[in-house]
Amino acid sequence: MKAAPPARPEVRPHPERELSQPASRRVVRVRLLGRLSAARLRPVVIISGPAGAGKSTLAAQLLEVDERARTIVRLAAHDDDPTVLALRLVDALKEIGPDAPSARAVVTASEPGFSAVVLPALTRLAASRQQPYVLVLDDVHLLRHAQSLDLLAALLQARELVERPRRRGPVADAAWLPRAV
């Protein structure tokens, strides 16, 4: 009798989406996930709470159960540089829709290019996703630079662009899930 072949390890395409706790030690937040599910048509969802409350874990659990296209950007202090943040957001949006190499090429923090080119390009890129999506920005409280906050506003403007011309079609839902507000 032959021995069964060893089990193949599970391949996960996005390891950054993994929870920090092993599955056996996780507390699934069923009630909160239900509230997030009920709010899925809202353009913005904010999860806030004190350190250690489980905001990042809740966001990760949302990504596990939500069927929409999704991506997460785990922010760090160095992401408060507008150029770095813009590139990270372009890359995140590329994960949930067609690539837009021209969007990366125009990224600059210098004015007037930032306001005249980068912000509208990011708005168009976010609005051009062909399917509803969830974009999670974890640790958004680390963003303080005015231009970094302008980038977040540009993503929110994409919601307006998507809703107006496509009333009959799918609407991209950008759910913002910051760790602390």
Side-chain angles (χ1 to χ4, degrees), residues 14-175:
H14 297 285
E16 69 276 7
R17 293 186 185 149
E18 293 300 312
L19 298 173
S20 58
Q21 293 281 341
S24 62
R25 295 184 55 203
R26 265 191 253 160
V27 175
V28 178
R29 290 156 174 85
V30 177
R31 182 181 60 83
L32 292 174
L33 287 170
R35 288 180 66 191
L36 287 173
S37 179
R40 73 178 277 145
L41 296 179
R42 294 179 184 252
V44 178
V45 176
I46 297 174
I47 299 174
S48 65
K55 300 172 294 294
S56 295
T57 300
L58 178 61
Q61 289 177 358
L62 172 66
L63 293 180
E64 288 179 350
V65 300
D66 198 298
E67 71 279 357
R68 294 173 287 180
R70 58 207 172 268
T71 191
I72 187 168
V73 178
R74 296 195 190 282
L75 299 169
H78 70 272
D79 293 316
D80 198 21
D81 175 300
T83 302
V84 172
L85 180 60
L87 291 171
R88 297 225 34 225
L89 294 173
V90 167
D91 291 345
L93 290 167
K94 181 176 72 173
E95 285 186 32
I96 53 179
D99 192 5
S102 60
R104 265 188 143 270
V106 301
V107 171
T108 179
S110 300
E111 289 294 356
F114 180 80
S115 296
V117 178
V118 176
L119 294 176
L122 184 63
T123 300
R124 284 190 306 275
L125 181 64
S128 71
R129 306 302 81 187
Q130 298 298 310
Q131 57 193 356
Y133 65 90
V134 176
L135 172 62
V136 174
L137 300 178
D138 195 14
D139 286 332
V140 77
H141 69 280
L142 297 172
L143 303 179
R144 302 271 186 238
H145 193 285
Q147 287 181 319
S148 296
L149 300 176
D150 288 343
L151 289 166
L152 299 183
L155 289 174
L156 290 173
Q157 286 176 353
R159 174 66 182 205
E160 295 297 317
L161 291 178
V162 169
E163 281 189 318
R164 287 189 182 125
R166 294 189 195 164
R167 290 234 183 246
R168 292 182 216 126
V171 174
D173 288 328

Side-chain angles (χ1 to χ4, degrees), residues 5-11:
R8 293 176 51 182
E10 183 178 354
V11 177

